[in-house]
Amino acid sequence: MSWLIAAYACVAIAVLLYLARLVKLRRELSRQLAHRPRIQSISDGRA
Amino acid sequence: MTRDRIISRFIDVALLATLAIGMWMVFFYAPIESEMGIVQKIFYVHVPLAWNAFLGFGVVFVSSFRYLATRDPRWDARALAAAEVGVLFTTLVLITGPIWAKPVWGIWWTWDARLTLTLVLWLIYAGYLLLRRYVESPERRAVLAAVVGISGFVDVPLVYFAIRWWRTQHPQPVIGGGSDSGLDPRMAATLWVCAAAFLLLFVALFRRRVAIEQMRRDVDVLRDSAEGSAA
């Protein structure tokens, strides 16, 4: 039984870790996109 | 709510429902195999993971061809997303396999054709992901990755047919393996439900990863335009 639980636990943990990585990436990119007006205003000011 | 979000929500709900039904079938419906005992139930994740990893590398193959033909970065994003999920699933195949092998064969690993070719498959697509990380130019990266993605796919049919072409420690096929193969109907039903669950998991992860790549492209375009204006 412990082998079975180990196998299923590995699958669950790995998928959750990958999902967490995707969420983190998405948050980081959303944050960067949210700064868009500021980046554009800086570049407009320089131009 | 956009159409994309509705589809994603539908896939997520279908995934959770199929996964719940699949796990119930694994533990309460499928019979315990007479020789291996309860550890044989690893089969219901091991095999669907392998099938869907093959699907992932198939998507890499098609998307890479489409990228080379059209130079549309969306195909490159699809290839990347499919490769990542494919590598994740192959990693899990290579973890669940030895966990199953140890109590049944008495060893974690043997260098038979199926196992070795699966490891080679993992190395090819892990290399594909590494390559993408270390090539700076986006166009050059996408072209090189597409070439590796296409050529690496050669290993997929080799892995699939390994147990049909050579004598291996790995068991012979139980589905599509000829007159000697076959599964108890309850085992087969459980396998198909689990395969559907992992297919939905593949689609859910793939769609999320593609969306992230689209966001990354938006950020890159924004950054380039900001730097261009600043210059």
Side-chain angles (χ1 to χ4, degrees), chain B residues 15-211:
Chain B
L15 165 63
L16 290 175
T18 319
L19 207 53
I21 295 167
M23 288 304 104
W24 178 83
M25 290 177 83
V26 167
F27 291 101
F28 301 108
Y29 176 72
I32 294 175
E33 208 265 347
S34 56
E35 282 181 28
M36 288 184 267
I38 200 161
V39 76
Q40 180 271 341
K41 288 177 187 273
I42 291 174
F43 169 77
Y44 302 112
V45 288
H46 181 76
V47 174
L49 279 166
W51 285 348
N52 285 291
F54 293 162
L55 170 71
F57 300 135
V59 174
V60 177
F61 180 77
V62 172
S63 302
S64 299
F65 258 118
R66 296 287 296 158
Y67 175 76
L68 290 179
T70 62
R71 302 295 163 130
D72 180 343
R74 285 175 300 182
W75 287 109
D76 182 50
R78 286 170 194 143
L80 166 63
E84 266 196 23
V85 183
V87 168
L88 172 71
F89 282 14
T90 310
T91 306
L92 289 171
V93 168
L94 289 169
I95 291 172
T96 55
I99 293 175
W100 187 4
K102 181 63 179 165
V104 175
W105 300 344
I107 48 170
W108 294 99
W109 182 267
T110 180
W111 295 98
D112 82 357
R114 168 57 77 84
L115 275 66
T116 307
L117 286 167
T118 307
L119 180 63
V120 169
L121 186 68
W122 183 87
L123 288 169
I124 289 169
Y125 286 96
Y128 170 95
L129 295 177
L130 276 175
L131 170 84
R132 299 193 65 106
R133 191 165 281 209
Y134 292 109
V135 178
E136 288 272 325
S137 156
E139 289 79 21
R140 190 171 153 73
R141 176 173 59 220
V143 170
L144 283 173
V147 172
V148 175
I150 291 167
S151 47
F153 188 74
V154 170
D155 195 34
V156 171
L158 291 179
V159 173
Y160 182 77
F161 287 109
I163 52 175
R164 291 165 172 83
W165 290 344
W166 298 292
R167 285 176 66 86
T168 55
Q169 174 83 33
H170 188 282
Q172 295 300 297
V174 289
I175 290 178
S179 56
D180 294 338
S181 69
L183 267 182
D184 175 283
R186 285 176 298 166
M187 285 181 170
T190 307
L191 177 65
W192 290 119
V193 172
C194 288
F198 278 95
L199 175 63
L200 287 165
L201 178 65
F202 174 87
V203 174
L205 294 175
F206 172 78
R207 285 174 59 87
R208 278 178 170 78
R209 189 65 186 86
V210 170

Side-chain angles (χ1 to χ4, degrees), chain A:
Chain A
M1 188 70 175
S2 57
W3 295 108
L4 183 67
I5 292 167
Y8 278 73
C10 280
V11 174
I13 290 167
V15 171
L16 288 175
L17 284 175
Y18 183 66
L19 207 52
R21 179 175 166 265
L22 293 188
V23 170
K24 193 178 160 198
L25 262 174
R26 192 185 158 88
R27 278 205 190 128
E28 175 61 25
L29 290 166
S30 297
R31 194 182 59 76
Q32 290 183 27
L33 283 172
H35 288 172
R36 180 180 177 159
R38 199 168 67 85
I39 295 170
Q40 275 186 334
S41 65
I42 291 168
S43 63
D44 290 347
R46 281 180 182 166

